[in-house]
Every structure is written in structure tokens, then in C-alpha cells.
Amino acid sequence: MSLPPLIIDLDGTLIKTDMLHESALRTMRDRPGALFFIPQWLAQGKAVLKKRLAGALTFDPESLPYNEELLAWLRQQKNDGRKLILCTASDDSIASAIGAHLGIFDEVMASDGNINLSGSRKADALEQRFGRGGFDYAGNSSVDLAVWRKARRAIVVNASAGLPAKAAECCEVEIVFPALRQGASVWRRVLRVHQWLKNVLLFVPFIAGHQLADMDTWLSLLVAFFSFSLCASSVYIANDLFDLESDRQHSRKRTRPFAGGVVPIWKGVLIAPLLLLFSYVLALFVGGTFIPWLTAYFLLTCAYSWGLKRLILVDCLVLAILYTLRIIAGAAAAGLVLSFWLLAFSVFLFLSLAFVKRYAELELQILSGKDKAHGRGYYTSDASLIQTLGITAGYASVLVLALYLNSSQVLMLYQMPEIVWGAVPVMLFWVSWMWMQAHRGNMHDDPLVFAVKDKASLCAGVVFVAILALGTVLSPW
């Protein structure tokens, strides 16, 4: 006796994402003016909205985050001679592309611009086609309960805790594929908490100005740190949402929570503005000109995510400015005037680190056999030039440091300027070391995050701070 056909839902079931959400995000990024037409399309019906948004979506079916456990089970069912049908509320252009890529489905049923094949409509279409109880159905949400009431058996995939029991009230549950866990470690990755280390740069002007005894400023900077961190997390989430396709083409970034489908896209859309709101609430307690600089950072980061990161060289210059803005914002929060020397040193150093980041990505693309970085304006053949530009910028930052150590400001801040000169070879070592690691393919993280984990970089940092401390406290002999 042959088994009844197995019907498989797409969004949240076969794939760990929702193609309607993805197409809406892509439209927001690439054609923001089209967002004004969404109410008009929705008024014509959800199927029309999906058709319109799908028309603007180009995607690689191979890179989508599939539920591999379910997919393996489906392939086994196919080998056993069972008929598999992909039935989804997504538009037929999207469903057909995915079905053709997987090559295991005998048929594809989807929304077609007239009928939104979801919930009761899907249930009625399947009942009319196969009869009541004439099919098994794999789904993931409460919307699928209408289908399970007319199915023979239920396959519950990636569902909330109470859904398997509700599905069992409709029909026999054959198998349950557990939901993806969203624990604290996942949300740390969503917020990129490890990237908050960059915001320690806010303290640099305060420390460089030798104002360490001012506890009120310490408190103000601490609040500024969390304000900047929440703002950065908001932008990181937005960047991850807009960069889904590029991240999925990357060997490591494809496991990010949104790209990998571990966290639904709609949660990112909801959380990002809330984090930004909380960031500005905290910024109100900092005072001074901190809020304008925070706003400048936010707007420039959005511009970077929206399009500047696709412009060669401009992307690295913007990254350098974003790092430097942290130092400027720290000076504003502390009520200090930022020196020309610190500003110039920061720009050149962070430009070098931005080139390190891009060079490491290009080297990874070369190893993958690609000739162009996906989502960027660079060709892999640009790697050697990027390396040259980055090393030059790094050594320029050391030159600025050397010139600063010969200025009148050093005489006022340090008891023993001669000792502070020892910082120059330390910086020369560290810049050279970072580029050496990038050249050897060891730069797997953001350069500053890499430096925090790297023993040689940490030792260089300790020696650098020790030299500045000794130059401050020791008296001339």
C-alpha cells in the first residue's frame, strides 16, 4: 500500500526564515521608495503584495538556511517512493526556484498573485486535491492547525512549545523536529556584545588627558559607553538584516543568527529601534555635545550599511571615521577638547585596521576560488594593493605618534618624555604584527576583537600602557 503524499510548508519549516520578510527587507534596502506602495499593494490582497515584493527579490536558493534535519528526512521519504509536494504561502516565483534547486519535490503549490495559499485556503486546496485525511503535512505555526485538521498525520517542525499538543488534537503527530534554541549565547551574538569592546575608545581622551581622578567624568563616560553600545547593537542588527545574502555567501558569517535563521527576521526589525531608543534615553544623562556625535555615528553607520560599504576605498575611510567618532564622542562626554595629535593618530591607525579587515576578507575569497567579494566593490586581485595602502596608513599613525612625542604637550603631561618614546617601537611592532597575521590568514575576526584575543597584541598593549605610566610618574634623574 502506497503512502499518501507528504506536503511540506516552506517558511519556517523547510527553511529557517520567511521569504516575505526577506523580500520586504530587500525592497527597503534597494528600493526604499517602493515602501510607499506597500499599503496600496496590501489593499489589493496579500497575494498581490507577495507578488510585487517577490518581483524585486533576487536570491540564491543554495545559500538559504535550510532545516537540514528535516531535509535529510524528506530525502529518505523520497527514496522510499513517497510523493513530496512543496506547498507554501510564498509567491510561486520563489517557491519554484527553491523547488528546482532541491530537486526532491514532485510538485510546487504556492501563492500566485491572486490567491494567498495560507491557512484555511491552503487547507481547502489540499482537501480538494487529495481528500480529507488523504495527505500528511509538515508545518511550523498555529496557522497550520487549519491544515492539520484535514490531514492524516502532522509533522511538526521548529514550532513553539505548545504547538505539538495542539496539532495532536487535530490529527496524529508522526514526528516532531525540535525548535531552534534562542538562549543567552544567541542573543549575545545578535547584539554583538563582543563588539562593545570597541566602545572602550570613548575613554581614550579622558585617559590621555590624565584626568583619572575625576569620578563624575568616569560615571558620565560609563553611561556614554552603554549608550554607544546599544546604538551600535541597533545598527549591527540592521546591518545583519540588510546583509543576509552576502553573509550567507561567507564561510563564517553564514552562521550569524539572522543569516542562519536561528532568530526570526521580524524580531530584529522590532528590537533594533528599541535599542536605539534606549540608547538615546541614556545619552540624555551624559549631556554636553555627546548626543550630536552619537547621532553622527548612527547616521554614518546607517549610510555605511545602506550603500557606502559597497564603494571601494570609501568603505574603509568610513570605517576609520566610525572608529574615530568613538574617540570624539568620548571627548564630548568628558567635556575635553580633543587634540589634533590624537585625532590624526586615530584616523591613520583605524584606516590601517579597516584595510586589515578588508584584506583578510579578500584573502578568504581567494581561498574560496572567487574573483570578487560578494556585496563589496573589490576584486580579489585588489588584495595586494589594499595591503600596501593599509601598511602605509599604519606606519603613518606611528609617525604621527613620534611627532606628538616631540611636541610641547608631552612636556606638560609627562615627567619623563624620554621614556614615553619607547611607545614608538611598540606601535611599530603591533602594526607590523597585525599585518603579518592578516597576511598569514589568521585574521578571522574584526581587527580590534582579534587584538583582544591575541596574546602578542595584549602583551604589546600592556607594555605600551606601562611605558606611558612610567613616563607620567617617574621624575627626571
Side-chain angles (χ1 to χ4, degrees):
M1 180 178 177
S2 61
L3 291 171
L6 176 56
I7 318 299
I8 301 96
D9 180 40
L10 177 65
D11 299 310
T13 304
L14 181 63
I15 58 175
K16 305 173 188 177
T17 186
D18 189 300
M19 295 308 294
L20 175 59
H21 296 164
E22 296 218 5
S23 57
L25 275 173
R26 190 73 56 80
T27 300
M28 184 187 301
R29 188 193 71 185
D30 298 338
R31 298 170 53 201
L35 295 177
F36 295 104
F37 294 99
I38 286 183
Q40 177 185 339
W41 297 337
L42 188 57
Q44 299 174 53
K46 203 168 182 179
V48 173
L49 172 66
K50 291 179 179 180
K51 176 65 71 176
R52 294 283 190 174
L53 291 176
L57 179 67
T58 56
F59 70 101
D60 178 10
E62 183 179 359
S63 67
L64 289 174
Y66 292 96
N67 189 321
E68 295 297 340
E69 186 179 359
L70 172 65
L71 197 53
W73 184 76
L74 291 176
R75 289 193 173 109
Q76 182 60 51
Q77 296 294 308
K78 181 69 174 179
N79 292 336
D80 292 342
R82 197 167 191 184
K83 185 176 183 179
L84 303 183
I85 297 175
L86 180 62
C87 185
T88 173
S90 286
D91 188 72
D92 52 8
S93 62
I94 294 174
S96 297
I98 293 172
H101 164 66
L102 293 175
I104 62 172
F105 296 106
D106 299 281
E107 187 180 341
V108 174
M109 300 171 63
S111 300
D112 59 4
N114 295 310
I115 298 176
N116 180 39
L117 201 62
S118 176
S120 59
R121 287 192 182 92
K122 183 187 288 190
D124 293 340
L126 291 173
E127 182 182 28
Q128 184 177 2
R129 177 77 181 277
F130 303 106
R132 195 178 191 92
F135 61 92
D136 295 345
Y137 179 74
N140 72 296
S141 72
S142 58
V143 176
D144 295 314
L145 291 171
V147 184
W148 282 323
R149 291 188 186 99
K150 299 184 178 183
R152 183 185 75 117
R153 288 180 180 174
I155 295 89
V156 185
V157 184
N158 190 30
S160 59
L163 190 62
K166 292 180 181 178
E169 296 174 0
C170 302
C171 63
E172 179 186 350
V173 175
E174 179 175 350
I175 187 172
V176 176
F177 292 90
L180 301 171
R181 296 185 62 185
Q182 296 178 17
S185 62
V186 171
W187 285 106
R188 281 198 299 269
R189 293 170 61 203
V190 169
L191 299 176
R192 304 268 196 96
V193 173
H194 65 284
Q195 296 285 4
W196 289 11
L197 288 169
K198 298 176 183 177
N199 299 324
V200 173
L201 292 171
L202 279 96
F203 293 87
V204 168
F206 178 62
I207 296 172
H210 296 193
Q211 304 292 320
L212 302 183
D214 189 341
M215 298 308 298
D216 289 339
T217 303
W218 272 111
L219 180 60
S220 180
L221 283 171
L222 189 62
V223 175
F225 170 84
F226 284 107
S227 173
F228 230 85
S229 297
L230 293 178
C231 179
S233 291
S234 172
V235 177
Y236 282 133
I237 290 174
N239 184 65
D240 286 350
L241 293 176
F242 286 141
D243 235 12
L244 289 174
E245 187 176 8
S246 294
D247 285 351
R248 288 169 183 161
Q249 300 287 341
H250 196 280
S251 60
R252 287 179 290 105
K253 294 180 181 179
R254 65 188 306 168
T255 61
R256 285 177 173 175
F258 294 113
V262 179
V263 177
I265 288 173
W266 67 265
K267 289 188 178 181
V269 174
L270 177 65
I271 292 170
L274 289 176
L275 290 174
L276 184 63
L277 175 62
F278 292 147
S279 169
Y280 272 86
V281 169
L282 289 176
L284 292 173
F285 294 95
V286 178
T289 58
F290 176 74
I291 289 182
W293 288 115
L294 177 67
T295 303
Y297 169 82
F298 171 73
L299 293 177
L300 186 58
T301 309
C302 288
Y304 175 81
S305 299
W306 216 284
L308 293 181
K309 66 182 178 183
R310 296 175 181 83
L311 302 178
I312 59 172
L313 301 181
V314 172
D315 62 333
C316 292
L317 287 169
V318 171
L319 284 176
I321 293 171
L322 288 173
Y323 279 121
T324 306
L325 277 174
R326 290 174 167 91
I327 292 179
I328 298 174
L336 299 173
V337 177
L338 193 64
S339 74
F340 161 80
W341 295 108
L342 181 56
L343 189 60
F345 172 76
S346 302
V347 170
F348 282 113
L349 179 62
F350 295 135
L351 181 59
S352 179
L353 295 180
F355 280 130
V356 164
K357 179 181 176 69
R358 201 60 72 231
Y359 173 80
E361 291 175 353
L362 289 175
E363 286 292 296
L364 188 62
Q365 297 297 317
I366 292 173
L367 292 175
S368 301
K370 299 179 181 178
D371 59 2
K372 194 175 189 299
H374 192 278
R376 299 288 188 268
Y378 296 94
Y379 292 92
T380 52
S381 58
D382 296 328
S384 58
L385 177 60
I386 295 299
Q387 183 182 43
T388 302
L389 294 173
I391 293 173
T392 303
Y395 285 169
S397 70
V398 180
L399 177 60
V400 171
L401 175 63
L403 293 173
Y404 163 70
L405 294 178
N406 197 40
S407 69
S408 58
Q409 289 177 287
V410 173
L411 297 176
M412 292 187 294
L413 290 173
Y414 296 96
Q415 296 288 333
M416 289 286 290
E418 298 85 355
I419 291 180
V420 181
W421 263 95
V424 173
V426 174
M427 282 300 303
L428 281 171
F429 165 80
W430 185 69
V431 169
S432 304
W433 174 261
M434 292 292 282
W435 276 102
M436 181 67 74
Q437 296 309 304
H439 179 71
R440 291 181 174 180
N442 297 329
M443 192 65 61
H444 300 310
D445 294 305
D446 181 282
L448 285 184
V449 176
F450 171 85
V452 173
K453 300 176 181 178
D454 177 53
K455 292 181 179 179
S457 297
L458 290 174
C459 288
V462 170
V463 173
F464 185 86
V465 171
I467 288 172
L468 297 183
L470 288 174
T472 302
V473 301
L474 292 182
S475 300
W477 52 74

